[in-house]
Every structure is written in structure tokens, then in C-alpha cells.
Amino acid sequence: MMENIRLALEAIRANKMRAFLTMLGIIIGIGSVISIVSIGSSMRAMVADQYKNVGLNRAMVYVSYEYSDDYRLSDYFTLDDIETLYENFPDKIAYMDPSSYATTDVINNRKTVKTDLQGIGPKYTNVQTVNIISGRMINEADLESRKKHMVLEEKTAIRLFGTANVVGKTVRATIRNELDDYLIVGVYREEVTAFSALMGGLNQNGTGFVPYTVITYPDDYFFSINLYAADDIDVESFRNEFIKYEAKVKNRPESAIVYYSVMEEMGMMDQMMSGLSLAVGAIAAISLLVGGIGIMNIMMVSVTERTREIGIRKALGARTKDVMVQFLTESAIISAAGGIIGILLAIGLVTLGGSLLGMPVVIQPGVVLLAVCFSALVGIFFGMYPASKAAKADPIIALRYE
């Protein structure tokens, strides 16, 4: 075997440029596949981290639009419903709010920033990390008294006031068609994830929090509940229990109660991204076929050029099997070397791209090992015919070949 490897390496060294050009198809094919798989895995990891930040136990609950012709006022939720749910599921619900949001102009003198305000309650920090850098978060008194208090994100505060030291200052904002003054009671710093940094150019709005009772006022009816299940429970069992309870309270069939969890959405997103990566990776793998055909072509040329050498080897006692293994070894080495170069280039480019974009890169060792083995197999498969042709050569005819 070592003799065959030595002969293969000598043949490759004798035609370095031709060997490299032959490898090029494999390099491009393997590099493309590894790059696409790595990018896909990295994006999936980023999306998974983003969903973890949102909260995997989070769910949106509402009554289906299926009954739009018979949609009753009782199908909506109220603040009393939230209190009742806390009482009925004291150890299973970590946090709830009316899923209330308002996008409005927040004004300070001549400065105006379009801001996405989220209505929250005092238990919000039990399920979401909020990095308060000055002041405080929304508390129970803010909620119960519907106080016009606001917690602003640091960059939003700087855009409005030129500084983040704004606790105690007031801004004007319109919520539920009512323009009013809001007292800033806290400033928080939003941690920038790789995903949000990558998508940072899509939304230039500021962000902030207000008591959810300010947004639900004056009727206090709302369409859906934003719910976080406790971490130490069987979420699926709780989901079924919660749906049964709400179906009874709303006097609707269980199928009408929609409990749409973040876990379900993440699963759908992951499945979609996985399928997309697989499809694009399969298209990129076609270049491996082209590379394999290139190896077959060059090996055919090599067999023709070395016909006399083959004749001499067979005349000296080399068996048909020995000649075949020699040429198969040469094609496998060319293909495997191209695969290794392609993998190194792909890892380098993906790592460089990840560092420039500030995103973590996921490279799967199993995929890398599979790529090396697959590239060698491509060389063996497409080298089979040229090797077979060389092995079957008649030594007398081969010795006469000029």
C-alpha cells in the first residue's frame, strides 16, 4: 500500500499544475458545501439563542377568529382574568400581561423619536433580564394607579436628551389617542445579540416600557394574553390544563383556545432553516459531480500517457489488481487533498465572515469528517474506470506504445 501511495505522490509531483487544476473542482465543491452547512448551523444557533432570550416557556393565548361571526365580548380578556389565572395557577404561571404595545412619537422639546413601548407589569423581570443602569423598573404602584411612568432604553434616552442621565425628566407621548406627559423613572441598557446586530438596520425605532394598565385604559379589554409558564413544570401538561380551563370559562370548545408557544415557533423556524440549508447544500454538492468528472478526465489522460510504464510494470510481474490500486490511490489522493484544502478554505472564510459580522460560527466536526471521506470516495468512484482500463492493458501492446 505504501508503495502505491509513493508512486501516486511522485505522479502528482510530476504534474503539479495539472493535479491542482484537477483538485479545483473538488475544492470548490467541498468548500461550498462546508460553508453553506456552517452558515446554516450558525444561523440556526443564532435564532435559537434569540428565542431563548424571548423565553422558551412563553406563549400567546387568545380565542380563535373561527367564531368571528359570533365573537362575544366574553371572548376578550380583562385585568380581572389575569388576577384569576394567577390565583388558579399560582405555581405554574411565572408572569402574564395583556400583550399590549404602542408605537408612538416620544417628544422632548424639539426632539422626537418614534418609540415602541411595551406594556408590562412588576413581575416582568422574573422572566426577562432587564439591565437597569439608573432608576428603577415599573412597580406595583405604577400598575395599580395607572401612573404615566416610563422606562426608556439607553440609546433612546440619548437620542431624546443627548444623555442617558434622564431619570426624573418628562417626555410627551400619545397612547390610546391621549397626549400626556410621562415621567421617566428608569433607564435600561439593551444587550445587543449577534442576531439583533445582524438585523439592526431593519428597525430604527426607540424602545421603552410603561405600565400595561396605561395601554389597556379605559376599557381594559384585550384580545390576547402574553404568558410565561414556570420553568420547573411540564409545559405540555400545563398547556392542556390551561386550554381546558379557558374553554370552560369562555364557554368555547377547546379547539377555539389558541395557545401558541415560542417553542412551537422556534421548531417551525428551525425546520424551515434546516430544509433551506439542505436544499442549498444539495445544489452546491453538484459541483462535486463536476469535480469528479474532472478527475476521471485527467486520470484517463494519465493512463494514456503512462501506457508504457504500465506495460513495464506488468511485464515485471505486477498483477492487474496492483495496477488498478495504484491508479485508484492516485485519484483518491488528488480528491482527498482537494477536499482538505476546500475544508480549510471554507472554515477560514466562514470564521472571517463571522468575526466581521460579530456572529458566532458553528462548524460541525462530523460534517467536516464526512466531507473528507466523501471527497476521497468521489476520487475512487470516478477513478474506477481509468484504473480499470489501465489494469486491463495488454503488457505486450503497452510496451510497444510510443
Side-chain angles (χ1 to χ4, degrees), residues 95-98 100 117-126 128 130 132 134-153 175 182-188 208-215:
Y95 173 75
M96 279 185 298
D97 65 42
S100 53
L117 297 173
Q118 181 179 349
I120 62 167
K123 295 180 182 179
Y124 181 76
T125 51
N126 292 349
Q128 290 288 290
V130 182
I132 294 289
S134 62
R136 61 172 176 82
M137 273 297 284
I138 301 299
N139 61 24
E140 195 71 44
D142 296 333
L143 193 73
E144 291 181 358
S145 302
R146 301 182 191 271
K147 290 185 177 178
K148 302 292 196 301
H149 286 177
M150 187 180 293
V151 179
L152 279 181
E153 195 274 326
I175 296 179
Y182 284 78
L183 176 67
I184 300 172
V185 296
V187 177
Y188 68 98
F209 299 113
V210 294
Y212 64 69
T213 49
V214 171
I215 299 180

Side-chain angles (χ1 to χ4, degrees), residues 84-158:
T84 303
L85 286 168
Y86 271 130
E87 291 170 5
N88 281 277
F89 301 96
D91 301 321
K92 297 181 179 180
I93 296 177
Y95 173 75
M96 279 185 298
D97 65 42
S99 188
S100 53
Y101 298 87
T103 298
T104 184
D105 288 333
V106 176
I107 305 165
N108 171 48
N109 294 326
R110 295 183 180 179
K111 294 284 183 67
T112 301
V113 175
K114 183 75 75 177
T115 305
D116 298 325
L117 297 173
Q118 181 179 349
I120 62 167
K123 295 180 182 179
Y124 181 76
T125 51
N126 292 349
V127 293
Q128 290 288 290
T129 301
V130 182
N131 181 18
I132 294 289
I133 59 174
S134 62
R136 61 172 176 82
M137 273 297 284
I138 301 299
N139 61 24
E140 195 71 44
D142 296 333
L143 193 73
E144 291 181 358
S145 302
R146 301 182 191 271
K147 290 185 177 178
K148 302 292 196 301
H149 286 177
M150 187 180 293
V151 179
L152 279 181
E153 195 274 326
E154 180 185 24
K155 293 185 183 66
T156 308
I158 292 171

Side-chain angles (χ1 to χ4, degrees), residues 26-27 30-32 34-35 336-352 363 368 371-372:
I26 300 296
I27 291 171
I30 291 291
S32 299
I34 293 292
S35 297
I340 292 169
I341 294 170
I343 288 166
L344 293 175
L345 280 174
I347 291 173
L349 289 172
V350 169
T351 303
L352 177 62
I363 297 170
V368 172
V372 173

Side-chain angles (χ1 to χ4, degrees), residues 25-240:
I26 300 296
I27 291 171
I28 294 170
I30 291 291
S32 299
V33 172
I34 293 292
S35 297
I36 289 167
V37 170
S38 297
I39 291 169
S41 298
S42 301
M43 291 299 294
R44 288 170 67 189
M46 282 173 57
V47 170
D49 286 341
Q50 189 71 11
Y51 275 109
K52 285 177 185 176
N53 291 335
V54 171
L56 294 179
N57 286 355
R58 182 179 177 180
M60 190 74 69
V61 182
Y62 58 91
V63 177
S64 172
Y65 277 115
E66 180 184 349
Y67 301 94
S68 56
D69 293 337
D70 180 31
Y71 210 82
R72 306 182 297 239
L73 189 61
S74 60
D75 290 332
Y76 289 92
F77 294 91
T78 67
L79 298 182
D80 289 338
D81 289 335
I82 288 182
E83 292 303 318
T84 303
L85 286 168
Y86 271 130
E87 291 170 5
N88 281 277
F89 301 96
D91 301 321
K92 297 181 179 180
I93 296 177
Y95 173 75
M96 279 185 298
D97 65 42
S99 188
S100 53
Y101 298 87
T103 298
T104 184
D105 288 333
V106 176
I107 305 165
N108 171 48
N109 294 326
R110 295 183 180 179
K111 294 284 183 67
T112 301
V113 175
K114 183 75 75 177
T115 305
D116 298 325
L117 297 173
Q118 181 179 349
I120 62 167
K123 295 180 182 179
Y124 181 76
T125 51
N126 292 349
V127 293
Q128 290 288 290
T129 301
V130 182
N131 181 18
I132 294 289
I133 59 174
S134 62
R136 61 172 176 82
M137 273 297 284
I138 301 299
N139 61 24
E140 195 71 44
D142 296 333
L143 193 73
E144 291 181 358
S145 302
R146 301 182 191 271
K147 290 185 177 178
K148 302 292 196 301
H149 286 177
M150 187 180 293
V151 179
L152 279 181
E153 195 274 326
E154 180 185 24
K155 293 185 183 66
T156 308
I158 292 171
R159 288 169 67 185
L160 283 166
F161 292 91
T163 176
N165 185 22
V166 297
V167 174
K169 296 182 179 181
T170 59
V171 291
R172 307 209 82 193
T174 301
I175 296 179
R176 296 293 292 263
N177 298 319
E178 184 179 335
L179 178 64
D180 213 332
D181 291 330
Y182 284 78
L183 176 67
I184 300 172
V185 296
V187 177
Y188 68 98
R189 179 173 295 146
E190 197 167 53
E191 299 300 328
V192 180
T193 64
F195 184 83
S196 58
L198 195 63
M199 307 297 288
L202 297 181
N203 187 1
Q204 298 299 320
N205 290 359
T207 55
F209 299 113
V210 294
Y212 64 69
T213 49
V214 171
I215 299 180
T216 61
Y217 179 83
D219 50 32
D220 287 334
Y221 282 96
F222 40 91
F223 175 71
S224 61
I225 287 179
N226 180 38
L227 179 151
Y228 288 80
D231 291 329
D232 55 351
I233 66 167
D234 183 341
V235 176
E236 190 59 31
S237 176
F238 167 71
R239 178 182 184 274
N240 294 333

